Structures are given as C-alpha cells and as structure tokens.
Amino acid sequence: MYVAHLSLTDFRNYATVELDLEPGVTVFLGQNGQGKTNLVEAVGYLATLGSHRVPYDAPLVRADATRAIVRGDVVRDARHALIELEVTPGRTNRARLNRSPVSRPRDVLGVLRTVLFAPEDLALVKGDPDTRRRFLDELLVARAPRLSGVRQDYDRVLRQRNTLLKTAAQASSGALRTLDAWDSHLARLSGEILAARLATIELLRPLVAKAYAHVSPTQEEVRLDYRSSADLGDQVTAAALADDVTAALAERRDEEVRRGVSLVGPHRDDVVLSLGEFPAKGYASHGESWSVALALRLAAYDLLCSDGGEPVLILDDVFAELDAGRRRRLAGLVAGAEQVLVTAAVAEDVPEQLAGARYVVAEGRVDRADRAA
C-alpha cells in the first residue's frame, strides 16, 4: 500500500499542491512553520478522518477559505483508489471514493491505513488516559472500519445520557425510567467497544514487548494492561461485557445522578503501561518514555501488517526528539516498509538508512531536490 499522488486545495497553508509520490522513503525538509508537517497531516487525515495535531477541523482550512479539499490516489495490490475529502468547518464533511459520493465520510475508512510517529507521541506515556484511548480506538477502526460507527453511536448515547443526568436529581420517576433505556444502549455499545479493545490489547502485548527490546535494549519489559471503569468478569464476549457494564451502571447510579455525569463506560477507561514492576508514567525516564511510545507505534504497524496490507509509515519530525542510538535503531526497523514519509528540519536529522526521494518545503512550495545517495 502506498500513496501515489497527494492533492491539496486550501489545506493549512497551501492554496494548491499537486505532489507525486512513490514507494520507498520520501523526506520533506523544511524549517518549522513552512508546511512540511501539513503534508503528512493530510495523508493521515485521508486514513483516519482526523488530525494528529488538533481535535477539530477548523485549523485545517486555509485562512480566508471556506473549505479544504484533500485527495489521495492510493495504490494497493496494483489497484488504484481515489479518496476525496471536503472539509467544511461547521458543516458535515463530504467524501467521494473513485469520484462517486459516499453517504458518510467514514465509508472511506480502511482504503488507506497509516501509522504515524510524531513528537506528540510522548503523551501516550506521560499524558492523560484519553490519549491512550484514542491510540487504541484508531487502531481498532483501522483494523475494522465498522467500529467507527459504533464509536459514533456510543458518543451520541453518552451525550444524551449526560444531558439527562444533569437534571436527574430533580427529575421525575418517568425521567429516571428514560435513564434506564439509555443505560441499555450505553451497555450494549460498551460491550462491543470493550470486546474489541481487550482483544487488541492481547494481540499488542507481545508486539510491544518485542518492539521495545529492539528500540531500547534493556532488561526491563514493557507491559500493557486494560483498566476498566467496570468490574469485568472472565468472559470477554460483547454480550458478557455489556452485562458487566450494566451491573456497574446500576451500582453507581446514585453517584452519577448526584454528580450529573456518566462514570462508567469505555470513555472512563485507561491503558496502563508498565516498565518492569513500575508504571511507565511517572517512573520512566525521558528516553525510556520515548522508547515505550515508539514501541506502541511499531506494534501497531506490525499488527496492521499481520492483517494484510502494509500501512504507510509517517515519521513527523520525530528524529529530532531521539538520541543517536534510538534514531539508528528506529530507522533500521522502518527502512524496509513499502512507503515511509519523513519530515525533518535539517537533513542531518534523517538517518542514512532512510535514503530516498527528497523535497524542500518553503513558503508554501514543495520542490523536488536531488535524490539522496
């Protein structure tokens, strides 16, 4: 799998860009603020319908423009697929696949798969639980795009339930019976999400341990554990997990009504990362934290490869954050991927193993430089 052509209109700082790409390594060189990250952000957006830098779409549209267009020609098994996304803040985004409109943008999910490394990845270890939940859920959707709809349904039910809880303390018994109905919806959707998350955690565990050993040779092992807001039993089917959530909702009903917020469900869960016997958050050094974050991304890449269809690897200004040893080991692990897109401020930040096509990015222009030796 690789992106053969990227086309942007009014995306970030670009009025227009037409960029031919190819398999192998492509490096975008440019000083900060020139737009190199915007290029790989657009590729990631084609795959995930989201940005790794901002949680909403408005910053993606160029100043004074009303919408942005992102197009990508994706090649998989020698077959081309054209993804077109129209990003309009404040309105519903639109999507086309092979020039035909699709009913929902999420219908293009799965056509392109990416794994992105970025400086923000340090938050996977040091940040709040929502960062780790997002990492896990993006991986779920990449593997099974239908789960995007399950997540959206869950978010909708959660909003409705929270709205009801805010007034439940003064509500009538009829309103509380309505809350029972929302509990049923929330538990059912929770069961589906939890089943997928737990299965993915089991698959990731050995892959993360292996990747960490490669990136940072050490005697300590990295471990992943899932911490749920519900008391989960031994059965991990969606139905059994829904029952566990139902029981937890009943147990905490009074507290939820008093506080006016949902306290049970996947939105309250966490992925706990440990180094040896200690939690990585608060215990791991800066270098160890980076190694854990890299191991998570490498494990995601390996898992997607095992599903069939090697994802595009994106390394966004990540080498500047690493010491020489980690740079070299990471480059050695990813150099053989079908397509690797790298951004860097200076050429010296890019390890020699990542030789390939190079572009210079400056003042909204993207110009091909001589091929690296």
Side-chain angles (χ1 to χ4, degrees):
M1 177 183 294
Y2 66 95
V3 178
H5 188 84
L6 178 67
S7 173
L8 304 179
T9 302
D10 291 328
F11 184 87
R12 289 286 193 176
N13 67 320
Y14 294 106
T16 59
V17 168
E18 299 292 338
L19 184 61
D20 288 324
L21 298 169
E22 56 195 54
V25 177
T26 298
V27 179
F28 299 102
L29 297 171
Q31 295 302 310
N32 292 336
Q34 297 303 302
K36 61 185 185 297
T37 290
N38 298 343
L39 298 171
V40 295
E41 180 184 31
V43 175
Y45 195 91
L46 287 168
T48 66
L49 305 182
S51 164
H52 70 287
R53 303 158 74 191
V54 292
Y56 48 92
D57 288 342
L60 306 181
V61 179
R62 191 171 64 93
D64 299 325
T66 58
R67 64 174 186 171
I69 305 293
V70 184
R71 296 183 182 89
D73 178 18
V74 179
V75 180
R76 182 172 182 175
D77 298 328
R79 300 179 63 179
H80 289 254
L82 179 64
I83 306 171
E84 300 175 88
L85 301 176
E86 179 181 312
V87 183
T88 309
R91 299 178 59 185
T92 301
N93 293 341
R94 295 191 291 183
R96 293 162 62 93
L97 182 59
N98 295 326
R99 306 196 183 280
S100 297
V102 296
S103 58
R104 301 161 301 189
R106 71 172 188 247
D107 291 339
V108 305
L109 290 172
V111 177
L112 172 65
R113 301 198 296 184
T114 61
V115 172
L116 186 145
F117 300 72
E120 291 85 355
D121 283 347
L122 200 59
L124 288 171
V125 181
K126 295 188 173 185
D128 294 331
D130 66 302
T131 305
R132 291 179 287 277
R133 290 195 297 265
R134 180 182 177 186
F135 161 79
L136 187 57
D137 286 347
E138 286 184 349
L139 182 55
L140 300 183
V141 171
R143 301 186 68 216
R146 73 165 191 85
L147 289 173
S148 175
V150 176
R151 288 181 59 204
Q152 289 183 12
D153 289 344
Y154 180 86
D155 291 341
R156 177 182 57 80
V157 169
L158 181 64
R159 287 193 300 270
Q160 295 285 350
R161 189 174 187 273
N162 282 339
T163 298
L164 185 58
L165 281 170
K166 288 176 183 177
T167 60
Q170 294 79 36
S172 64
S173 59
L176 292 177
R177 284 194 295 273
T178 302
L179 187 59
D180 290 338
W182 287 114
D183 285 0
S184 177
H185 292 310
L186 191 78
R188 176 180 57 80
L189 294 166
S190 294
E192 289 193 62
I193 294 171
L194 287 171
R197 283 184 179 180
L198 293 171
T200 301
I201 288 287
E202 286 298 315
L203 295 172
L204 280 176
R205 281 194 179 107
L207 298 176
V208 171
K210 176 184 175 183
Y212 185 81
H214 280 128
V215 173
S216 182
T218 178
Q219 296 299 315
E220 291 185 303
E221 292 187 2
V222 64
R223 190 178 72 252
L224 287 75
D225 293 294
Y226 192 81
R227 179 181 294 162
S228 176
S229 53
D231 184 11
L232 304 182
D234 295 333
Q235 298 296 317
V236 293
T237 64
L241 293 166
D243 289 342
D244 295 335
V245 172
T246 298
L249 288 170
E251 181 178 348
R252 303 192 70 176
R253 166 67 68 84
D254 291 344
E255 183 182 3
E256 288 187 322
V257 170
R258 185 173 66 254
R259 295 176 58 177
V261 66
S262 298
L263 301 175
V264 176
H267 67 287
R268 304 285 295 195
D269 297 353
D270 195 6
V271 178
V272 180
L273 304 168
S274 303
L275 272 179
E277 299 179 357
F278 300 96
K281 183 177 181 178
Y283 168 76
S285 68
H286 183 77
E288 288 171 333
S289 296
W290 260 116
S291 293
V292 173
L294 293 174
L296 287 170
R297 293 296 186 190
L298 288 168
Y301 172 77
D302 287 341
L303 183 55
L304 290 174
C305 286
S306 69
D307 290 340
E310 188 174 351
V312 174
L313 274 175
I314 301 173
L315 287 74
D316 179 25
D317 211 19
V318 71
F319 289 112
E321 304 289 336
L322 305 178
D323 58 45
R326 288 183 174 86
R327 284 186 189 183
R328 185 177 61 254
R329 287 190 288 270
L330 176 59
L333 288 170
V334 305
E338 184 167 7
Q339 186 173 53
V340 186
L341 305 178
V342 182
T343 71
V346 294
E348 290 74 19
D349 284 346
V350 183
E352 294 181 357
Q353 298 101 309
L354 297 179
R358 296 206 171 187
Y359 290 85
V360 175
V361 181
E363 299 179 354
R365 289 178 52 89
V366 184
D367 297 311
R368 179 71 179 257
D370 290 340
R371 176 176 290 274

